[in-house]
PDB file of all heavy atoms in Angstrom:
ATOM      1  N   TYR C 388       6.911  12.032  21.437  1.00  0.00           N
ATOM      2  CA  TYR C 388       6.112  10.853  21.123  1.00  0.00           C
ATOM      3  C   TYR C 388       6.231   9.898  22.300  1.00  0.00           C
ATOM      4  O   TYR C 388       7.345   9.527  22.694  1.00  0.00           O
ATOM      5  CB  TYR C 388       6.661  10.204  19.851  1.00  0.00           C
ATOM      6  CG  TYR C 388       5.852   9.024  19.356  1.00  0.00           C
ATOM      7  CD1 TYR C 388       4.757   9.215  18.533  1.00  0.00           C
ATOM      8  CD2 TYR C 388       6.204   7.722  19.702  1.00  0.00           C
ATOM      9  CE1 TYR C 388       4.024   8.128  18.061  1.00  0.00           C
ATOM     10  CE2 TYR C 388       5.480   6.639  19.241  1.00  0.00           C
ATOM     11  CZ  TYR C 388       4.387   6.851  18.422  1.00  0.00           C
ATOM     12  OH  TYR C 388       3.661   5.781  17.953  1.00  0.00           O
ATOM     13  N   VAL C 389       5.093   9.539  22.897  1.00  0.00           N
ATOM     14  CA  VAL C 389       5.151   8.687  24.088  1.00  0.00           C
ATOM     15  C   VAL C 389       3.945   7.753  24.112  1.00  0.00           C
ATOM     16  O   VAL C 389       2.827   8.170  23.786  1.00  0.00           O
ATOM     17  CB  VAL C 389       5.243   9.545  25.382  1.00  0.00           C
ATOM     18  CG1 VAL C 389       4.094  10.523  25.523  1.00  0.00           C
ATOM     19  CG2 VAL C 389       5.369   8.683  26.618  1.00  0.00           C
ATOM     20  N   ASN C 390       4.191   6.506  24.466  1.00  0.00           N
ATOM     21  CA  ASN C 390       3.112   5.512  24.584  1.00  0.00           C
ATOM     22  C   ASN C 390       2.209   5.475  23.358  1.00  0.00           C
ATOM     23  O   ASN C 390       0.980   5.476  23.451  1.00  0.00           O
ATOM     24  CB  ASN C 390       2.264   5.788  25.837  1.00  0.00           C
ATOM     25  CG  ASN C 390       3.081   5.589  27.095  1.00  0.00           C
ATOM     26  OD1 ASN C 390       4.033   4.805  27.109  1.00  0.00           O
ATOM     27  ND2 ASN C 390       2.738   6.305  28.142  1.00  0.00           N
ATOM     28  N   GLY C 391       2.808   5.494  22.201  1.00  0.00           N
ATOM     29  CA  GLY C 391       2.037   5.280  20.974  1.00  0.00           C
ATOM     30  C   GLY C 391       1.433   6.511  20.343  1.00  0.00           C
ATOM     31  O   GLY C 391       0.751   6.410  19.328  1.00  0.00           O
ATOM     32  N   LYS C 392       1.642   7.705  20.931  1.00  0.00           N
ATOM     33  CA  LYS C 392       1.154   8.895  20.226  1.00  0.00           C
ATOM     34  C   LYS C 392       1.955  10.148  20.542  1.00  0.00           C
ATOM     35  O   LYS C 392       2.722  10.171  21.515  1.00  0.00           O
ATOM     36  CB  LYS C 392      -0.336   9.120  20.485  1.00  0.00           C
ATOM     37  CG  LYS C 392      -0.734   9.140  21.909  1.00  0.00           C
ATOM     38  CD  LYS C 392      -2.262   9.220  21.967  1.00  0.00           C
ATOM     39  CE  LYS C 392      -2.655   9.539  23.398  1.00  0.00           C
ATOM     40  NZ  LYS C 392      -3.998  10.005  23.545  1.00  0.00           N
ATOM     41  N   THR C 393       1.738  11.147  19.721  1.00  0.00           N
ATOM     42  CA  THR C 393       2.433  12.415  19.955  1.00  0.00           C
ATOM     43  C   THR C 393       1.668  13.210  21.009  1.00  0.00           C
ATOM     44  O   THR C 393       0.481  13.024  21.224  1.00  0.00           O
ATOM     45  CB  THR C 393       2.535  13.240  18.659  1.00  0.00           C
ATOM     46  OG1 THR C 393       1.219  13.414  18.109  1.00  0.00           O
ATOM     47  CG2 THR C 393       3.432  12.568  17.650  1.00  0.00           C
ATOM     48  N   LEU C 394       2.411  14.111  21.642  1.00  0.00           N
ATOM     49  CA  LEU C 394       1.859  14.879  22.758  1.00  0.00           C
ATOM     50  C   LEU C 394       1.059  16.075  22.257  1.00  0.00           C
ATOM     51  O   LEU C 394       1.526  16.837  21.410  1.00  0.00           O
ATOM     52  CB  LEU C 394       3.044  15.375  23.601  1.00  0.00           C
ATOM     53  CG  LEU C 394       2.744  15.945  24.976  1.00  0.00           C
ATOM     54  CD1 LEU C 394       2.190  14.879  25.913  1.00  0.00           C
ATOM     55  CD2 LEU C 394       4.022  16.542  25.575  1.00  0.00           C
ATOM     56  N   SER C 395      -0.162  16.228  22.792  1.00  0.00           N
ATOM     57  CA  SER C 395      -0.895  17.471  22.567  1.00  0.00           C
ATOM     58  C   SER C 395      -1.820  17.720  23.740  1.00  0.00           C
ATOM     59  O   SER C 395      -2.190  16.796  24.472  1.00  0.00           O
ATOM     60  CB  SER C 395      -1.696  17.419  21.264  1.00  0.00           C
ATOM     61  OG  SER C 395      -2.791  16.547  21.402  1.00  0.00           O
ATOM     62  N   GLY C 396      -2.163  18.985  23.936  1.00  0.00           N
ATOM     63  CA  GLY C 396      -3.092  19.345  25.009  1.00  0.00           C
ATOM     64  C   GLY C 396      -4.066  20.350  24.446  1.00  0.00           C
ATOM     65  O   GLY C 396      -4.818  20.035  23.531  1.00  0.00           O
ATOM     66  N   ILE C 397      -4.031  21.586  24.951  1.00  0.00           N
ATOM     67  CA  ILE C 397      -4.826  22.652  24.331  1.00  0.00           C
ATOM     68  C   ILE C 397      -4.370  22.740  22.885  1.00  0.00           C
ATOM     69  O   ILE C 397      -5.135  23.007  21.977  1.00  0.00           O
ATOM     70  CB  ILE C 397      -4.547  24.014  25.010  1.00  0.00           C
ATOM     71  CG1 ILE C 397      -4.787  23.958  26.504  1.00  0.00           C
ATOM     72  CG2 ILE C 397      -5.375  25.126  24.356  1.00  0.00           C
ATOM     73  CD1 ILE C 397      -4.345  25.222  27.216  1.00  0.00           C
ATOM     74  N   SER C 398      -3.060  22.537  22.714  1.00  0.00           N
ATOM     75  CA  SER C 398      -2.438  22.656  21.402  1.00  0.00           C
ATOM     76  C   SER C 398      -1.271  21.671  21.363  1.00  0.00           C
ATOM     77  O   SER C 398      -1.070  20.916  22.314  1.00  0.00           O
ATOM     78  CB  SER C 398      -1.949  24.106  21.249  1.00  0.00           C
ATOM     79  OG  SER C 398      -1.149  24.215  20.096  1.00  0.00           O
ATOM     80  N   HIS C 399      -0.516  21.696  20.266  1.00  0.00           N
ATOM     81  CA  HIS C 399       0.757  20.992  20.266  1.00  0.00           C
ATOM     82  C   HIS C 399       1.701  21.759  21.197  1.00  0.00           C
ATOM     83  O   HIS C 399       1.554  22.972  21.358  1.00  0.00           O
ATOM     84  CB  HIS C 399       1.321  20.913  18.845  1.00  0.00           C
ATOM     85  CG  HIS C 399       1.390  22.247  18.171  1.00  0.00           C
ATOM     86  ND1 HIS C 399       2.496  23.062  18.255  1.00  0.00           N
ATOM     87  CD2 HIS C 399       0.466  22.930  17.459  1.00  0.00           C
ATOM     88  CE1 HIS C 399       2.248  24.173  17.601  1.00  0.00           C
ATOM     89  NE2 HIS C 399       1.028  24.124  17.104  1.00  0.00           N
ATOM     90  N   PRO C 400       2.692  21.091  21.785  1.00  0.00           N
ATOM     91  CA  PRO C 400       3.621  21.812  22.672  1.00  0.00           C
ATOM     92  C   PRO C 400       4.389  22.905  21.921  1.00  0.00           C
ATOM     93  O   PRO C 400       4.618  22.799  20.723  1.00  0.00           O
ATOM     94  CB  PRO C 400       4.577  20.725  23.149  1.00  0.00           C
ATOM     95  CG  PRO C 400       3.876  19.442  22.906  1.00  0.00           C
ATOM     96  CD  PRO C 400       2.986  19.651  21.729  1.00  0.00           C
ATOM     97  N   GLU C 401       4.756  23.944  22.635  1.00  0.00           N
ATOM     98  CA  GLU C 401       5.562  25.045  22.086  1.00  0.00           C
ATOM     99  C   GLU C 401       6.821  25.172  22.937  1.00  0.00           C
ATOM    100  O   GLU C 401       7.126  26.227  23.495  1.00  0.00           O
ATOM    101  CB  GLU C 401       4.755  26.354  22.106  1.00  0.00           C
ATOM    102  CG  GLU C 401       3.730  26.469  21.006  1.00  0.00           C
ATOM    103  CD  GLU C 401       4.321  26.845  19.641  1.00  0.00           C
ATOM    104  OE1 GLU C 401       5.541  27.067  19.546  1.00  0.00           O
ATOM    105  OE2 GLU C 401       3.543  26.898  18.672  1.00  0.00           O
ATOM    106  N   MET C 402       7.560  24.071  23.034  1.00  0.00           N
ATOM    107  CA  MET C 402       8.683  24.019  23.973  1.00  0.00           C
ATOM    108  C   MET C 402       9.827  24.949  23.607  1.00  0.00           C
ATOM    109  O   MET C 402      10.702  25.208  24.420  1.00  0.00           O
ATOM    110  CB  MET C 402       9.184  22.581  24.092  1.00  0.00           C
ATOM    111  CG  MET C 402       8.170  21.667  24.753  1.00  0.00           C
ATOM    112  SD  MET C 402       8.845  20.024  25.035  1.00  0.00           S
ATOM    113  CE  MET C 402       7.822  19.044  23.965  1.00  0.00           C
ATOM    114  N   GLY C 403       9.833  25.424  22.373  1.00  0.00           N
ATOM    115  CA  GLY C 403      10.901  26.338  21.955  1.00  0.00           C
ATOM    116  C   GLY C 403      10.893  27.648  22.723  1.00  0.00           C
ATOM    117  O   GLY C 403      11.923  28.310  22.827  1.00  0.00           O
ATOM    118  N   HIS C 404       9.738  28.010  23.254  1.00  0.00           N
ATOM    119  CA  HIS C 404       9.656  29.281  23.985  1.00  0.00           C
ATOM    120  C   HIS C 404       9.787  29.075  25.491  1.00  0.00           C
ATOM    121  O   HIS C 404       9.340  29.906  26.280  1.00  0.00           O
ATOM    122  CB  HIS C 404       8.377  30.035  23.598  1.00  0.00           C
ATOM    123  CG  HIS C 404       8.433  30.527  22.194  1.00  0.00           C
ATOM    124  ND1 HIS C 404       8.818  31.814  21.859  1.00  0.00           N
ATOM    125  CD2 HIS C 404       8.233  29.875  21.030  1.00  0.00           C
ATOM    126  CE1 HIS C 404       8.821  31.935  20.535  1.00  0.00           C
ATOM    127  NE2 HIS C 404       8.475  30.771  20.007  1.00  0.00           N
ATOM    128  N   THR C 405      10.438  27.989  25.871  1.00  0.00           N
ATOM    129  CA  THR C 405      10.749  27.720  27.270  1.00  0.00           C
ATOM    130  C   THR C 405      11.538  28.879  27.880  1.00  0.00           C
ATOM    131  O   THR C 405      12.404  29.473  27.238  1.00  0.00           O
ATOM    132  CB  THR C 405      11.605  26.428  27.328  1.00  0.00           C
ATOM    133  OG1 THR C 405      10.806  25.356  26.866  1.00  0.00           O
ATOM    134  CG2 THR C 405      12.113  26.120  28.705  1.00  0.00           C
ATOM    135  N   LEU C 406      11.231  29.137  29.160  1.00  0.00           N
ATOM    136  CA  LEU C 406      11.914  30.207  29.906  1.00  0.00           C
ATOM    137  C   LEU C 406      13.365  29.811  30.208  1.00  0.00           C
ATOM    138  O   LEU C 406      13.612  28.715  30.697  1.00  0.00           O
ATOM    139  CB  LEU C 406      11.150  30.384  31.216  1.00  0.00           C
ATOM    140  CG  LEU C 406      11.231  31.659  32.013  1.00  0.00           C
ATOM    141  CD1 LEU C 406      10.611  32.809  31.255  1.00  0.00           C
ATOM    142  CD2 LEU C 406      10.494  31.460  33.336  1.00  0.00           C
TER     143      LEU C 406
END
Side-chain angles (χ1 to χ4, degrees):
Y388 184 86
V389 57
N390 295 332
K392 52 186 192 164
T393 55
L394 193 66
S395 71
I397 304 172
S398 170
H399 52 90
E401 282 282 357
M402 293 186 245
H404 291 264
T405 295
L406 202 66

